[in-house]
Amino acid sequence: MYVLLSAICFSLCGVLINLIPWNSFSINMVGSVLSFILIFAYQRTQGRKFVFNKMVLLGAVLNFVMALTFVMATKMTTAANAIVLQFTEPVFLILIVWIVYRQKPKKDAVLTCILVLCGIFCFFFESLSTGGMAGNILAIVSGVTYAGVFLIKKFPGGDFESSLMVSHLISIVVGIPFLMRETVFTPTVWGYVLVLGIVQFGLSYVFLSRGLDRVSPVTASLTSTIEPILNPILVAIFCGETIGMLSIFGAVLVIGSATVYNLRQAKG
């Protein structure tokens, strides 16, 4: 449920990024400020101390690259393109776990990944285009680094929340020069930024952290595939992108396969 709540929060980003008339670095920077405050408060309430070491820094870099490249991809290509290519992440996650941790994936995990990816590609087939190639490449980079984010808690000496806070500090330092160039600071824009920072940059990570305490990275990754379904639906409603019958079939395939996998894991 925590991972599901995280995915729902993340799914708002497609709409909000498109509604905010700022460049990617500015959006990432202001969202990171709000998220840093929220995660710092969460750390204090949980009695957790800030940790800094090489693994925390590695996790911070992964999260910084993941967040920034996704915002950039959403700006440079369609929301559907960005989210479907980022969600090649379950495959990268299984490969990383297999190569680094020598954990051979089980057949049901591999089959579920295949079905999930087929469903996602069905869902977004009508939106994928040959244009926006740079955005598409950035979305794939976001997918690779997103797989690493799911493994932060598995790093020896890693600390998920500390990595998030360091990544936000990196985003703030990098983004300040870009924010100073922005010219549109209307109350509506600030409202969108506030929601993006608190919900998508903040609460989503808190929920994900609590979820990763209770389930495996692969299970969390597959559960979070609800995000690439909700994200384009919300963009379609608020930004006018259309959804066809093939997309609906893909949604059923993704949700169904992920649900069956999780039920099998719970039974085991």
Side-chain angles (χ1 to χ4, degrees), residues 1 22 57 104 118 122 161 192 228:
M1 288 304 299
W22 293 354
L57 181 59
K104 187 176 180 179
C118 288
C122 283
E161 288 78 14
Y192 293 147

Side-chain angles (χ1 to χ4, degrees), residues 6-264:
S6 172
I8 292 171
C9 290
F10 273 126
S11 69
L12 295 172
C13 65
V15 172
L16 293 169
I17 290 171
N18 279 295
L19 291 175
I20 300 172
W22 293 354
N23 69 70
S24 302
F25 288 90
S26 299
I27 293 173
N28 201 44
M29 179 263 174
V30 177
S32 294
V33 171
L34 298 170
S35 180
F36 181 91
I37 295 171
L38 184 63
I39 294 172
F40 177 79
Y42 171 73
Q43 285 277 77
R44 294 297 296 271
T45 59
Q46 296 296 308
R48 298 182 181 181
K49 295 182 179 180
F50 176 78
V51 178
F52 187 78
N53 53 45
K54 291 181 179 179
M55 288 302 175
V56 168
L57 181 59
L58 173 60
V61 172
L62 287 171
N63 190 72
F64 167 73
V65 175
M66 183 275 293
L68 180 60
T69 52
F70 180 73
V71 175
M72 294 174 71
T74 304
K75 286 286 189 182
M76 297 171 69
T77 184
T78 66
N81 282 33
I83 197 69
V84 67
L85 292 172
Q86 188 196 44
F87 266 81
T88 53
E89 165 266 323
V91 175
F92 292 121
L93 178 58
I94 286 179
L95 289 174
I96 292 172
V97 170
W98 189 2
I99 294 170
V100 177
Y101 295 98
R102 307 297 183 189
Q103 296 179 13
K104 187 176 180 179
K106 296 180 180 180
K107 292 181 179 179
D108 56 349
V110 175
L111 177 60
T112 303
C113 276
I114 293 172
L115 292 174
V116 164
L117 288 174
C118 288
I120 290 174
F121 278 107
C122 283
F123 191 82
F124 299 112
F125 181 77
E126 295 154 329
S127 298
L128 286 171
S129 64
T130 56
M133 185 55 66
N136 293 342
I137 293 172
L138 286 170
I140 294 174
V141 173
S142 183
V144 175
T145 50
Y146 198 15
V149 170
F150 278 94
L151 291 171
I152 290 176
K153 283 183 178 287
K154 299 295 183 181
F155 294 164
D159 186 90
F160 190 82
E161 288 78 14
S162 297
S163 288
L164 290 181
M165 288 194 286
V166 174
S167 74
H168 291 330
L169 290 175
I170 296 172
S171 298
I172 292 167
V173 172
V174 172
I176 288 176
F178 294 91
L179 183 65
M180 295 176 65
R181 301 175 189 173
E182 302 295 346
T183 57
V184 182
F185 296 99
T186 64
T188 301
V189 169
W190 278 114
Y192 293 147
V193 171
L194 188 65
V195 174
L196 183 69
I198 294 176
V199 177
Q200 198 267 327
F201 278 78
L203 289 177
S204 57
Y205 284 116
V206 172
F207 290 141
L208 181 60
S209 174
R210 295 185 69 85
L212 288 172
D213 285 334
R214 293 160 172 80
V215 297
S216 71
V218 172
T219 299
S221 169
L222 292 170
T223 303
S224 68
T225 52
I226 191 66
E227 179 190 345
I229 302 302
L230 290 178
N231 188 318
I233 288 175
L234 294 173
V235 172
I237 293 172
F238 294 101
C239 301
E241 290 185 7
T242 58
I243 302 175
M245 290 302 298
L246 184 61
S247 300
I248 296 174
F249 172 76
V252 173
L253 189 59
V254 169
I255 295 172
S257 57
T259 301
V260 170
Y261 174 82
N262 283 320
L263 289 174
R264 286 175 61 85

